[in-house]
Amino acid sequence: MSVIKKKKHVSKKNKKAWRKYCDIKDVEEFLEDQRLEERIGKFETKPDSELFVVDTAGDEKPEVTDVKPLSLKQKKRALLNQTPKCFEVLLPTSKVQDPNAKRNHVNPVGAKPTALSKLTQKRRFEKGAYVKKVELVRKNKKIALAKKRKAKEIENTFIKNLWGDELPEVKGIPSTLCDDFVSEEAQLHNVLPEKRLRPKPPPPKTVATRAAIETPHPGVSYNPSYQEHQDLLQEVVQHEEKMMKKEAHLHRVTTKMFSKVTAHDKENQWREEMSAGLPQPHNPATAPSDEETDNEYKAINPPVKNKKKDHKARRKQRERIEERERLKREKIEKKKITDIYKLRKLQSSISAKEKRQAELQAKRTAKREFISATAVPALNAHKPPVREPDLVDPKQLTGDLRNITTNTNLLRDRFESLQRRGALAASKLMMKKKKRVKSYFKPGHKVTEQDIEKYVQKMKGKKDPKKIVIKK
């Protein structure tokens, strides 16, 4: 026995209730089928050859023939004539016809000259605004004709290689992609790997070989001659002066730029800035005495008197201005005459300066080329450490190898030598910050006054005793 569903009565006074209680699935499915038919085409319009296939073979088994499978190279060549997938998006997929088949063609603005534009162009041409433009057009026409004539002459020589390497077909690019609007990257992307033209790698940079152990200065010896030791001392002095100059420059442009102000001066300066414009309290020490003021009233902003100049004063002022201008002009004229006589001297000084600058530029270029040719390969961003000159104190000079003392670390010296020769990447010393550890007594321990005094005396050399934290 079929169960009859009871009809549900609901209110449908607004759109929300209609959407909620009305079943329109069949309408939506019908409309979706119609849209699909518009896109892919209706069955009534398609021919029978697209819908049906005539079976001519029947139940007969086809003859099996030995067909060699295509290689990967042959498969890729067969796919070259097809449209690439990156351009399939541009092809139309819908078969929906244009709703307005008879569409009027509208010319863009400015394509057809109007009567007003013709009139304005004629007026501008009469004024001579287009004369320069016409001359430029004639000149460009002459250049284009000359280029065309030259191209014809080149073509008549028959030197052009028709199968040159510049043609895209030679590179293996399919003919469907040999267009102007397709970029070179997209063209080469569809070329077979064995046909791609790879750029030739640059030749390796020749680095000058450096000695593993550099020859030390003769003044570093344990028994050097006096002159060699003095030469070494001069080198060390020059190096130290250079470093001192660098440190002084850094101090001048960083620390010395800012003046030091004490806390008292800073407070007074802040008080003066904050109290600017406010009425100051009466200070008898700084107040003016009665003798200085002479009991005379003086206004803070006295009135301005409009005192006119008479004719004589104006004449004198005009004469002074004219005299000043005359002297100025005479000075300029004298300078012009003297500059004429200085032309030879100026020309010789300019030529000497240019010659000197050319020599300096040649020296800089030669030095730069020499450094780039002999430089070690840059293995990272850090630069290798510069070798500092060794110095042996005259007091440490001995005539015997047994009594000599070492000043450098052998392991560090060899490590820096490997960095300078480019065998190792240059490193930078990274200092870790030490954590500040507070010292305190654990809670729950029995601590006496003697223990506290002993702990304070112990930490007096390391820290300020006021900052020591003691927890009981």
Side-chain angles (χ1 to χ4, degrees), residues 148-169:
K148 201 172 182 181
R149 201 179 294 113
K150 192 175 181 181
K152 282 185 178 180
E153 290 175 1
I154 292 169
E155 285 177 3
N156 293 334
T157 53
F158 301 105
I159 303 174
K160 185 178 178 182
N161 185 10
L162 296 176
W163 296 274
D165 296 337
E166 298 299 324
L167 296 174
E169 288 81 3

Side-chain angles (χ1 to χ4, degrees), residues 87-293:
F87 296 113
E88 284 183 357
V89 187
L90 303 175
L91 298 175
T93 56
S94 176
K95 293 189 177 182
V96 180
Q97 296 179 357
D98 191 359
N100 189 2
K102 192 177 180 182
R103 198 177 294 277
N104 295 330
H105 177 69
V106 181
N107 290 327
V109 179
K112 187 177 180 182
T114 60
L116 182 61
S117 63
K118 286 178 182 178
L119 187 62
T120 52
Q121 192 174 3
K122 185 179 178 183
R123 285 175 182 170
R124 292 185 69 185
F125 189 78
E126 288 173 356
K127 287 182 180 179
Y130 292 103
V131 175
K132 191 175 181 181
K133 198 172 182 181
V134 170
E135 289 178 359
L136 186 63
V137 169
R138 288 175 183 169
K139 188 178 178 182
N140 290 338
K141 279 185 178 179
K142 287 181 181 178
I143 294 169
L145 286 170
K147 279 186 178 179
K148 201 172 182 181
R149 201 179 294 113
K150 192 175 181 181
K152 282 185 178 180
E153 290 175 1
I154 292 169
E155 285 177 3
N156 293 334
T157 53
F158 301 105
I159 303 174
K160 185 178 178 182
N161 185 10
L162 296 176
W163 296 274
D165 296 337
E166 298 299 324
L167 296 174
E169 288 81 3
V170 177
K171 294 182 180 179
I173 299 169
S175 58
T176 55
L177 296 175
C178 297
D179 294 326
D180 294 336
F181 67 91
V182 182
S183 62
E184 292 183 2
E185 292 143 359
Q187 290 176 357
L188 292 172
H189 180 72
N190 292 276
V191 179
L192 294 172
E194 58 267 12
K195 286 194 175 183
R196 288 182 190 170
L197 297 176
R198 292 182 177 86
K200 191 177 180 182
K205 185 179 177 183
T206 55
V207 182
T209 55
R210 302 190 178 189
I213 299 174
E214 299 176 2
T215 307
H217 195 277
V220 188
S221 175
Y222 63 92
N223 56 351
S225 63
Y226 177 77
Q227 188 62 35
E228 290 172 350
H229 194 260
Q230 290 297 318
D231 295 342
L232 177 63
L233 286 176
Q234 288 296 324
E235 287 184 11
V236 174
V237 166
Q238 289 176 4
H239 178 72
E240 289 296 324
E241 285 178 353
K242 190 177 178 181
M243 298 301 293
M244 288 167 64
K245 189 177 179 181
K246 191 176 180 180
E247 288 179 2
H249 168 70
L250 289 173
H251 178 70
R252 185 175 66 254
V253 298
T254 53
T255 310
K256 206 173 180 182
M257 286 179 69
F258 308 101
S259 58
K260 292 182 179 179
V261 182
T262 59
H264 183 67
D265 294 342
K266 186 179 179 182
E267 186 180 356
N268 292 339
Q269 187 178 358
W270 176 82
R271 190 180 288 107
E272 288 178 6
E273 290 177 356
M274 292 295 107
S275 62
L278 297 175
Q280 298 292 334
H282 178 69
N283 191 0
T286 59
S289 60
D290 294 338
E291 296 177 359
E292 293 178 359
T293 55

Side-chain angles (χ1 to χ4, degrees), residues 341-385:
Y341 290 111
K342 285 182 179 178
L343 281 175
R344 291 182 181 177
K345 190 176 180 181
L346 289 170
Q347 191 174 2
S348 62
S349 64
I350 290 167
S351 61
K353 187 178 179 181
E354 288 177 352
K355 186 179 178 182
R356 190 165 58 254
Q357 286 179 350
E359 290 176 357
L360 288 172
Q361 184 68 24
K363 284 182 181 178
R364 290 195 202 99
T365 308
K367 187 178 179 182
R368 202 181 298 115
E369 289 176 355
F370 175 74
I371 290 170
S372 64
T374 58
V376 296
L379 301 177
N380 57 4
H382 302 302
K383 292 184 178 179

